[in-house]
Every structure is written in structure tokens, then in C-alpha cells.
Amino acid sequence: MAPFALPITEVLVVADCWQTEPDAEAVIHRAIGTAAETVNAGLGEAELAVMLTDDAGIRTLNSNWRGVDKPTNVLSFPALQPTGPSGADDAPRMLGDIAIAYETTRKEADDEQKPFDHHLSHLAVHGFLHLIGYDHDNDDDAEAMETLEQEILAQLGIPDPYADRERMD
């Protein structure tokens, strides 16, 4: 059996406001690595990209892809998966893209009186779980996803993000 491989995670900073959070890239890599190990999804040499944007950028994405003309904290865009047989020369499997908005993430962390890196970790884990097929469209799915998030975040030393608030939209 091949050793466990973490997904290749590329973090793209496309908004200057993220310069105030120099550890953001490391926080995201750690969160996604822990999530991948926890779910043991057999991702092999899978790849994903995380775009660190601002509220204006995520509002455009939210409007274009979901028809919701407002900013949000995180959006996930799972990649379509190939249907044919895989070969040795195939490119690594693309899981998809995650976008995280700085201002909304900062405001939520401040409003909830939690460290920014804890909230950023939660959003990265949440986005990653969407890429590998988890969702919260109904109560049972939401409960399963939240339970997994709580387990992953606990491994990162981050308290339960759902202890004092409603489910994420």
C-alpha cells in the first residue's frame, strides 16, 4: 500500500488585505493537511487551490456562480472528475477551488471573539470537505459535516466552532 499523500494545496493571495495575516498560507496548509489525514479519503496526489480574496472578489464569485449578490466567508468549487480509466501519465486529480474573503472572515472572527487563525482554519476545513463531497443541504448531512469539522478542528487544538452559534450557510 502506498504511503498516505496529502493533497497539493496552492494558496493564491489575490487581495492586498491578506498582507495583514502573514501566517494565513501556513494556517490553510495545516488545516487542509489535517482534514485530509482525518478523512483518509485516498486523495493520492490530488491538487486544490485556495484563493485568498476580499469581499468584492467573493461577492462577484457568489453572484456569478450562485446567483447571490453579496459577499460570504467561503465558497467551494468542486472539480468535475474524469470518468474514464486513469493512466500512469495522467495529471494529478484536481479536487477544485476554495475562495475565502478576508473582510467577512475577519468580521466573523471578531464578532465571535475567536482568534482569526482558528476561524480561517475552520473555513479552510469547511471548504475542503465540500470539495470531497460533504454538504449541508439537509439536517442529517449538516450534522455529519459539522461533526467531522469538530473532530478535525479538535486535532488542531481549535474549540468547537458550533458551540455558541448557528450552522454556517
Side-chain angles (χ1 to χ4, degrees):
M1 184 165 140
F4 182 82
L6 293 176
I8 299 164
T9 304
E10 183 174 356
V11 178
L12 308 164
V13 180
V14 300
D16 289 340
C17 49
W18 281 95
Q19 299 310 317
T20 62
E21 301 297 335
D23 297 331
E25 186 171 346
V27 167
I28 288 167
H29 281 286
R30 183 170 176 249
I32 289 174
T34 301
E37 288 174 339
T38 301
V39 299
N40 197 12
L43 300 173
E45 293 184 10
E47 294 182 0
L48 66 128
V50 179
M51 180 176 67
L52 300 179
T53 188
D54 55 18
D55 277 3
I58 211 158
R59 179 179 182 168
T60 298
L61 291 170
N62 207 15
S63 179
N64 290 345
W65 293 97
R66 297 179 63 226
V68 179
D69 190 19
K70 65 178 188 176
T72 189
N73 51 15
V74 61
L75 291 172
S76 297
F77 302 95
L80 293 175
Q81 297 304 313
T83 56
S86 61
D89 293 331
D90 287 354
R93 176 178 159 212
M94 185 61 181
L95 295 177
D97 301 316
I98 300 168
I100 302 175
Y102 177 78
E103 297 96 331
T104 298
T105 301
R106 167 56 66 195
K107 181 177 182 339
E108 290 172 348
D110 291 348
D111 289 350
E112 297 167 18
Q113 300 180 335
K114 59 177 67 167
F116 182 83
D117 63 318
H118 287 191
H119 193 46
L120 179 59
S121 294
H122 181 203
L123 295 178
V125 167
H126 186 87
F128 175 76
L129 292 177
H130 277 305
L131 295 185
I132 62 170
Y134 288 86
D135 218 322
H136 45 82
D137 289 339
N138 62 56
D139 288 344
D140 289 342
D141 290 347
E143 186 174 333
M145 188 170 177
E146 288 175 8
T147 299
L148 189 51
E149 287 175 318
Q150 291 162 333
E151 179 184 339
I152 294 164
L153 294 171
Q155 291 180 44
L156 292 166
I158 297 172
D160 179 358
Y162 296 110
D164 296 324
R165 64 180 274 216
E166 294 295 318
R167 230 176 245 125
M168 290 170 63
D169 301 322

